Amino acid sequence: MVATASHKPSRKSVPVHQDRDRVSPAGGVRWDKKMSNNCAMALLVYTMIQIFFVLSFIKPGGMSIAPYFGLVLLVAIIIPFCRKYEKRWENMAQSGLTGQSLAARFRKDQVMLWLLALGLPFVFVAIIKGISAAF
């Protein structure tokens, strides 16, 4: 008896397409993608602080609807601000700056973004408290 070997059809490997136009020349770091991720996370944290912290300071009885409109306004303001950061980093990644220069600028913008995202809700509460104390 002769044993027959089973042949599986061979698979041809398909080349993986990489989007080389989007890779930053500075060591392959995608600064625009990193800033986009930071903006998305900062927006999420900012909104959560707005919902849980700020709304706990707004008493439903006796206060007008103005603070709620203020919350909507603050969220509406922060979204274009984050988009501006993303757009800036899309352009900056293509600028040809060195990796060290981009890293320093990224850290500066990242710190500013997070200071605004974490600080703006508390500033809003202080303004609302000041207005309600004055009236």
Side-chain angles (χ1 to χ4, degrees):
M1 223 173 189
V2 178
T4 60
S6 65
H7 274 47
K8 292 183 181 180
S10 64
R11 293 184 180 175
K12 292 185 178 182
S13 66
V14 178
V16 178
H17 174 66
Q18 294 180 355
D19 190 7
R20 297 186 191 275
D21 295 336
R22 300 282 298 163
V23 176
S24 174
V29 177
R30 294 275 312 269
W31 295 106
D32 56 336
K33 180 73 172 161
K34 288 179 81 163
M35 184 53 73
S36 180
N37 290 342
N38 270 272
C39 286
M41 188 59 96
L43 185 58
L44 183 68
V45 168
Y46 171 82
T47 304
M48 290 305 208
I49 291 172
Q50 292 282 31
I51 292 169
F52 294 110
F53 178 72
V54 175
L55 287 179
S56 70
F57 280 96
I58 300 173
K59 306 274 191 263
M63 297 241 354
S64 71
I65 198 161
Y68 296 103
F69 284 124
L71 287 174
V72 171
L73 180 66
L74 284 174
V75 172
I77 288 172
I78 199 75
I79 291 172
F81 180 77
C82 287
R83 183 62 190 135
K84 181 180 174 185
Y85 262 120
E86 288 178 331
K87 202 67 158 153
R88 177 177 174 207
W89 277 92
E90 285 174 7
N91 295 333
M92 199 175 298
Q94 304 297 330
S95 69
L97 294 171
T98 66
Q100 188 175 11
S101 176
L102 285 171
R105 290 176 188 217
F106 178 83
R107 178 56 80 188
K108 179 183 166 219
D109 283 355
Q110 184 183 36
V111 167
M112 181 60 71
L113 175 69
W114 281 99
L115 283 175
L116 288 172
L118 296 174
L120 199 55
F122 296 101
V123 170
F124 180 70
V125 167
I127 290 170
I128 294 297
K129 287 288 191 179
I131 289 171
S132 65
F135 294 106

